[in-house]
Amino acid sequence: MAYDFRTKQLKRINGVRKADKKTNRGSFTGVLPWFDLGNLMGPSLGEQYEGIIEVESLLEHDFVVRTRFDGVTTMVRPQPEKLKWWDPRDSRWRTHVPDFEAVRTDRNTRTFVQVKPKKFADRLEEDFILIRRNFERLGFDFEVMTELEIRKQPRFANAQMLFPHTGPMEDVGALDRVRTVLREAEGSVLTMGEIRRMADIGTASDEAVLRLHVRSEIRLDLDVEIDERALVHPVLRRP
């Protein structure tokens, strides 16, 4: 039986440039939620890692979905700030507003990300090289991501499958049943198909496995297609 945690109010994470059709391109697509799954029951307004994230294009939308499951990013902030960079080609200061700032656990530096279709990124390659050099002098990382990286398969399809399981609703009974199966397996690596047969709750076990991955209780290899053959690796917890 599904148990829905109480409604959580999410703050809208705005950038320095308002994201709407009046001020930006007509490709603006909307917002995506980013929940803190370690705080499902607590208040979320003002939480550091929760919010409604604005996106200005379908590619930015897909970037947020993919990044949610890269294993190191805890939050993305759209249009984080205006940063100046020196253009030696005409000896002028220019201003750049990165599409996102990514908060990552694997680095201490601020990481700014520009999301662009490859055909536009190629045209702006010289600009991006200069921007990266300037940002590095400031102690920042700067990355350009195109559809080649963002929509790389099967990782992106797996991220799309997992993203609906990042909200505050979960089937507690199915989760507990799959946890029992994994506990009785005593650390053995099972496939999703094996777990489905052993749990004996139908496809609800598949949904529970996806949720447990999102909650970091098990680990799926996102570089391999998630299906009944997918290996479900237990995550060892420190005592």
Side-chain angles (χ1 to χ4, degrees):
M1 179 178 179
Y3 177 77
D4 191 1
F5 291 101
R6 68 180 177 82
T7 303
K8 303 188 76 175
Q9 183 180 6
L10 293 181
K11 63 181 178 179
R12 192 179 183 106
I13 302 178
N14 300 310
V16 297
R17 183 179 65 194
K18 187 176 181 181
D20 62 26
K21 292 183 179 180
K22 293 180 180 179
T23 58
N24 289 309
R25 304 177 301 277
S27 59
F28 169 67
T29 56
V31 294
L32 290 90
W34 191 297
F35 288 95
D36 175 9
L37 295 185
N39 184 37
L40 285 174
M41 292 293 288
S44 58
L45 188 61
E47 290 293 328
Q48 185 176 6
Y49 296 127
E50 287 193 314
I52 300 294
I53 300 171
E54 293 182 335
V55 294
E56 291 186 332
S57 69
L58 287 172
L59 188 58
E60 287 190 8
H61 170 282
D62 293 349
F63 165 78
V64 173
V65 170
R66 181 193 183 281
T67 302
R68 185 69 176 83
F69 303 102
D70 65 7
V72 294
T73 302
T74 58
M75 184 61 190
V76 292
R77 306 182 189 281
Q79 312 286 338
E81 62 181 273
K82 296 179 181 179
L83 295 168
K84 289 188 175 182
W85 60 283
W86 178 255
D87 190 341
R89 294 169 296 186
D90 56 7
S91 299
R92 290 180 56 188
W93 283 102
R94 299 186 182 277
T95 300
H96 179 68
V97 180
D99 290 324
F100 296 97
E101 178 182 359
V103 180
R104 294 174 173 167
T105 59
D106 63 342
R107 60 185 71 176
N108 296 322
T109 56
R110 299 181 69 185
T111 301
F112 296 104
V113 182
Q114 194 69 29
V115 174
K116 277 281 186 290
K118 189 175 187 307
K119 62 180 181 180
F120 297 129
D122 288 346
R123 295 175 194 170
L124 296 170
E125 182 178 9
E126 188 175 355
D127 282 13
F128 288 150
I129 289 173
L130 293 173
I131 291 171
R132 180 180 295 107
R133 289 174 182 172
N134 276 266
F135 280 18
E136 286 175 349
R137 293 191 185 100
L138 296 172
F140 305 147
D141 289 332
F142 178 77
E143 301 174 357
V144 178
M145 294 194 70
T146 72
E147 67 274 15
L148 298 185
E149 297 83 27
I150 294 170
R151 294 172 177 160
K152 183 178 180 181
Q153 299 295 351
R155 177 168 281 269
F156 178 61
N158 289 336
Q160 288 180 300
M161 186 185 303
L162 287 161
F163 198 84
H165 298 276
T166 61
M169 178 182 289
E170 55 188 16
D171 188 335
V172 177
L175 290 176
D176 287 344
R177 179 62 189 138
V178 169
R179 288 183 181 121
T180 298
V181 169
L182 294 172
R183 184 168 59 251
E184 292 176 348
E186 298 181 341
S188 298
V189 177
L190 303 175
T191 66
M192 287 185 67
E194 289 171 332
I195 292 173
R196 185 191 305 162
R197 290 190 291 273
M198 295 167 71
D200 196 25
I201 54 174
T203 57
S205 69
D206 297 344
E207 302 296 304
V209 168
L210 298 177
R211 178 67 173 187
L212 290 175
H213 174 88
V214 170
R215 290 178 63 93
S216 299
E217 294 185 38
I218 58 95
R219 181 177 61 82
L220 297 166
D221 185 351
L222 300 192
D223 290 317
V224 178
E225 183 180 358
I226 296 178
D227 57 19
E228 66 176 10
R229 300 166 295 176
L231 297 176
V232 179
H233 300 270
V235 174
L236 299 178
R237 303 290 184 180
R238 292 183 179 179

